Amino acid sequence: MVASEPSPALPASSSALLSGRTASRLVDDLVAGGYRPGDRLPSERLLSEHYRVSRSTLRAALTQLADQGVVAPSPARGWFLTDLTAGERRTPEPGDGRPSGHVVQGFADYAAAHGLTAHAVVLESRVRPCSVGESETLRIAPGAELFEMRRLRYLNDLVVVVENNRLPLAICPALAETDFTTASLYATLRRAEPPQLPRLAQYTVEARQPDDEERRLLEVDGTVPMLVATQLSFNQGGQPIELTVQVYRGDRYRFRGSITD
């Protein structure tokens, strides 16, 4: 589900105010969740349960957003995001309980935000039982089905990283059937039912020399160091959903971070 705190209860006579507030909070949550044009919203049932409003109120909120050009309905398929520009201009008032907008950005999201073209070569894609160590890290049962994928990732046709992703298959069964040559992993997670929105990640980076396979895959000549990033991502409910190891060419990657109180 898109993440947000429940709205305070309002009198029935304030239905217009309630639908407007629901529309406003939905836009904020879509922005915070990293939704992109073309992504499908959660079902009306899930949204009405999440925001604790009736289906009629939710439909009024969605209709309001449709009138603004933010979302659009598709017969028998639900609602889809069309344009979040209006939502991105909105500034939540202090202390209103809305999410701060923090979201984990995927490789494809980064490329799109910077006007770059991303594509991948899938080296391996399979479903297998998880190990005991993986089960402890991802908080799933030992032997539960795990989706594992290795890809070479490119920006503007330059190879940047070899990436190994491991995710519990139960959170998004579509992972096993998706062509990740061009598809975005995070967009696929956002379209899951319920959506899986990467909100927080534990991230470590270390430098080392490449091994022979990494030299070949990343087209390394000479003494280019590797930056190895290990990332454990958590969804909007605090559940770990992705364990990824990324081996970057050190001359094509820069790590940036922010330190806050």
Side-chain angles (χ1 to χ4, degrees):
M1 266 316 301
V2 284
S4 181
E5 294 297 320
S7 290
L10 293 177
S13 59
S14 302
S15 58
L17 178 61
L18 179 56
S19 62
R21 178 175 294 185
T22 302
S24 176
R25 295 178 63 240
L26 177 56
V27 167
D28 285 342
D29 288 351
L30 293 173
V31 171
Y35 276 69
R36 297 167 64 187
D39 286 351
R40 181 166 61 90
L41 273 61
S43 68
E44 290 186 7
R45 178 183 62 80
L46 287 173
L47 287 172
S48 62
E49 290 176 356
H50 179 69
Y51 292 113
R52 299 184 180 180
V53 297
S54 67
R55 292 283 286 273
S56 61
T57 296
L58 177 71
R59 284 173 184 156
L62 290 168
T63 299
Q64 178 180 326
L65 294 178
D67 291 341
Q68 297 170 3
V70 176
V71 300
S74 177
R77 297 185 63 205
W79 292 84
F80 287 79
L81 177 64
T82 55
D83 184 6
L84 267 177
T85 303
E88 290 172 346
R89 289 198 297 265
R90 297 183 63 258
T91 302
E93 297 179 4
D96 69 354
R98 292 175 185 157
S100 64
H102 291 257
V103 64
V104 179
Q105 186 179 53
F107 188 91
D109 296 327
Y110 171 88
H114 291 79
L116 302 171
T117 301
H119 76 276
V121 173
V122 178
L123 303 173
E124 180 182 22
S125 179
R126 61 174 176 157
V127 175
R128 63 168 175 82
C130 72
S131 68
V132 173
E134 290 165 338
S135 73
E136 291 175 348
T137 300
L138 293 168
R139 301 181 200 164
I140 56 178
E145 288 188 318
L146 193 77
F147 173 73
E148 180 174 25
M149 173 173 59
R150 291 181 72 233
R151 289 182 292 177
L152 273 178
R153 311 294 302 274
Y154 292 78
L155 290 176
N156 286 1
D157 295 323
L158 290 176
V159 63
V160 175
V161 58
V162 57
E163 183 176 78
N164 179 262
N165 311 103
R166 285 165 285 173
L167 304 93
L169 186 63
I171 66 170
C172 183
L175 291 169
E177 281 116 38
T178 301
D179 179 6
F180 286 106
T181 301
T182 54
S184 162
L185 176 61
Y186 278 15
T188 303
L189 291 174
R190 290 193 291 265
R191 288 192 295 267
E193 199 65 60
Q196 301 295 316
L197 309 180
R199 283 291 177 83
L200 175 71
Q202 296 174 355
Y203 199 80
T204 62
V205 181
E206 62 178 311
R208 63 165 171 78
Q209 291 299 313
D211 61 27
D212 290 341
E213 183 187 34
E214 291 162 354
R215 285 182 181 276
R216 177 177 59 82
L217 292 174
L218 294 171
E219 302 171 3
V220 171
D221 291 320
T223 57
V224 176
M226 300 294 104
L227 289 177
V228 183
T230 301
Q231 176 174 307
L232 178 62
S233 300
F234 299 79
N235 68 6
Q236 67 275 23
Q239 172 68 29
I241 58 172
E242 175 204 14
L243 178 60
T244 291
V245 177
Q246 300 157 314
V247 182
Y248 290 90
R249 283 186 54 140
D251 59 344
R252 295 179 182 173
Y253 175 73
R254 174 181 296 169
F255 173 71
R256 291 179 178 174
S258 298
I259 299 176
T260 60
D261 293 335

